[in-house]
Amino acid sequence: MIDLSNNENTLLSHEFNTLNHNLICKYPCDNEYLLKNELAKIHNVSSNNITLGCGSSDVIYRTFIALNFLAKEQKKELNLIVPIPTFDLILSIAKALKIKITYINELVLDVKKIIPNEGFINLIYITNPNNPSANELSQDDLDYLTKLCVGNTYMILDEAYAEYNVNFKSIKKAYFKNIIITRTFSKIYALAGLRIGYGIACEELLQYIDKFILIDNINYYALYCALEVLKNDDFINTSRKLTLQNKAILENAFNELDIKYFKSNVNFILHEIKDEKYSDFMLELGIKVGRKIANYPLLNRISVGNINEIEQFLKALKLAKDKALV
């Protein structure tokens, strides 16, 4: 089975030294400061502006829990404002917590349509670049959103794919009181299986969010590997280069097969399909493609895999084309 559904980096392999048993028999919490310090240097913030998580999803979940609790303390409800399509986990969390959800149904987001509800604690959730469209916010978009985040309006800015674009635009980190930025080691850093990510926010907001943290939410091996990969600029640069090369192969194939797709600066491509049976057909051929996209049943997302994965995908894609599925 070739899995091209989760935007993992399968282009390169890490070569980590084996951890000393004297380290892995200890809890990691006393050494988390090592990774926080390195991340603080990269983002030009204080280590007090960094929180670590079991993937960025852990930080996002903790933020939901904290703000939902804050809303109850103020005898209000939490209102999640989320553009659709988005990262599926977000909607699952909100529904499990019975949070009000305000959907912005736009493939290409117009941020001016995001309007906080004054009667609620508002939480805006934005993926930038968007998952699954790969659209990126302009500086004007980011400026508009930051102006919204005052009083009872907060924002999670999920930048899981930011490192793929060397010209990526973000906001001044840890500067805005009501905004947390989340990043992950699961994508370009290729540590998805170790589950480690982080959040960046002002100290006051992090102190509140981290009231709900599990003290052992990350493991020592993940901590160690994250520190090692941050030292290896060649790994990141080569990953970007290979992603661009392999993405070009996919784009050329889409052009040759007359399949419409969306330009992308990240490690996946959103493309059109003609039949919802496409995913099941590809799975029968041993290729797992992207999940069904809410409100857009005739769109699918494909991860940029290694050359062997791409070759197998393209063989299956041509068969799908023959059957008028794409």
Side-chain angles (χ1 to χ4, degrees):
M1 176 66 64
I2 291 175
D3 189 345
L4 294 174
S5 67
N6 290 314
N7 307 335
E8 297 144 333
N9 180 1
T10 60
L11 304 176
L12 294 173
S13 298
H14 292 294
E15 295 181 4
F16 296 125
N17 294 324
T18 304
L19 270 177
N20 188 307
H21 176 72
N22 291 331
L23 295 178
I24 60 174
C25 68
K26 301 288 187 180
Y27 288 111
C29 48
D30 289 340
N31 288 285
E32 288 182 4
Y33 76 93
L34 295 170
L35 182 54
K36 289 182 178 181
N37 287 347
E38 290 304 309
L39 292 169
K41 291 175 189 175
I42 290 170
H43 294 288
N44 194 29
V45 297
S46 164
S47 60
N48 292 331
N49 299 127
I50 304 287
T51 185
L52 303 179
C54 181
S56 57
S57 54
D58 174 32
V59 180
I60 292 167
Y61 179 68
R62 199 185 316 148
T63 304
F64 268 76
I65 295 292
L67 293 181
N68 196 40
F69 188 81
L70 176 67
K72 292 184 185 303
E73 282 188 320
Q74 298 185 11
K75 295 181 169 52
K76 295 181 179 180
E77 288 185 62
L78 182 61
N79 174 40
L80 172 66
I81 304 173
V82 57
I84 297 295
T86 191
F87 180 32
D88 291 347
L89 176 67
I90 302 312
L91 301 180
S92 297
I93 294 171
K95 290 172 183 176
L97 294 173
K98 297 183 179 179
I99 291 168
K100 173 181 168 60
I101 305 175
T102 300
Y103 297 98
I104 310 294
N105 292 297
E106 288 196 329
L107 191 61
V108 179
L109 175 64
D110 177 358
V111 295
K112 299 292 177 62
K113 293 186 177 180
I114 295 178
I115 303 172
N117 189 320
E118 292 185 5
F120 291 77
I121 301 292
N122 297 285
L123 174 58
I124 302 167
Y125 175 80
I126 300 283
T127 55
N128 185 40
N130 177 265
N131 175 14
S133 73
N135 289 318
E136 294 184 27
L137 298 177
S138 68
Q139 194 60 58
D140 287 343
D141 290 337
L142 291 166
D143 291 343
Y144 176 82
L145 288 169
T146 57
K147 289 174 183 176
L148 290 181
C149 296
V150 294
N152 285 335
T153 298
Y154 296 80
M155 180 167 66
I156 298 172
L157 194 55
D158 184 346
E159 297 181 342
Y161 301 92
E163 292 87 359
Y164 279 100
N165 183 359
V166 292
N167 298 313
F168 178 73
K169 293 180 177 63
S170 185
I171 64 174
K172 188 174 180 181
K173 296 173 179 62
Y175 179 79
F176 301 95
K177 288 182 64 176
N178 288 18
I179 299 174
I180 182 167
I181 294 173
T182 59
R183 293 276 184 112
T184 183
F185 285 90
S186 295
K187 302 306 178 183
I188 201 168
Y189 291 109
L191 298 180
L194 295 184
R195 311 307 303 126
I196 186 159
Y198 59 101
I200 313 168
C202 76
E203 192 171 350
E204 181 181 355
L205 180 57
L206 276 193
Q207 284 178 348
Y208 190 77
I209 291 171
D210 281 352
K211 286 181 180 180
F212 302 89
I213 196 170
L214 293 174
I215 195 169
D216 54 356
N217 66 326
I218 66 170
N219 69 78
Y220 216 131
Y221 192 63
L223 177 69
Y224 165 81
C225 291
L227 284 165
E228 288 298 303
V229 78
L230 286 177
K231 299 174 186 176
N232 191 351
D233 288 339
D234 287 343
F235 185 91
I236 303 306
N237 293 332
T238 304
S239 289
R240 284 196 196 103
K241 181 181 178 181
L242 290 174
T243 299
L244 285 173
Q245 291 175 358
N246 291 1
K247 186 161 51 179
I249 295 171
L250 288 172
E251 290 173 342
N252 289 337
F254 287 142
N255 288 330
E256 289 174 6
L257 294 172
D258 194 27
I259 298 171
K260 292 182 180 179
Y261 64 92
F262 296 76
K263 293 296 291 183
S264 163
N265 285 321
V266 294
N267 69 331
F268 59 84
I269 299 176
L270 186 68
H271 65 91
E272 292 186 359
I273 60 175
K274 293 181 178 178
D275 195 309
E276 292 183 54
K277 296 177 183 177
Y278 164 77
S279 297
D280 291 337
F281 176 79
M282 296 294 278
L283 193 60
E284 289 174 5
L285 297 177
I287 310 291
K288 188 176 181 182
V289 297
R291 296 179 291 275
K292 291 183 179 178
I293 297 171
N295 297 349
Y296 298 91
L298 295 183
L299 291 176
N300 200 271
R301 185 195 69 191
I302 191 70
S303 304
V304 179
N306 60 48
I307 193 64
N308 175 62
E309 292 170 330
I310 286 178
E311 288 173 351
Q312 296 303 310
F313 166 72
L314 291 180
K315 288 178 183 177
L317 184 67
K318 289 172 183 176
L319 294 174
K321 180 70 175 179
D322 291 340
K323 290 186 175 292
L325 298 177
V326 290

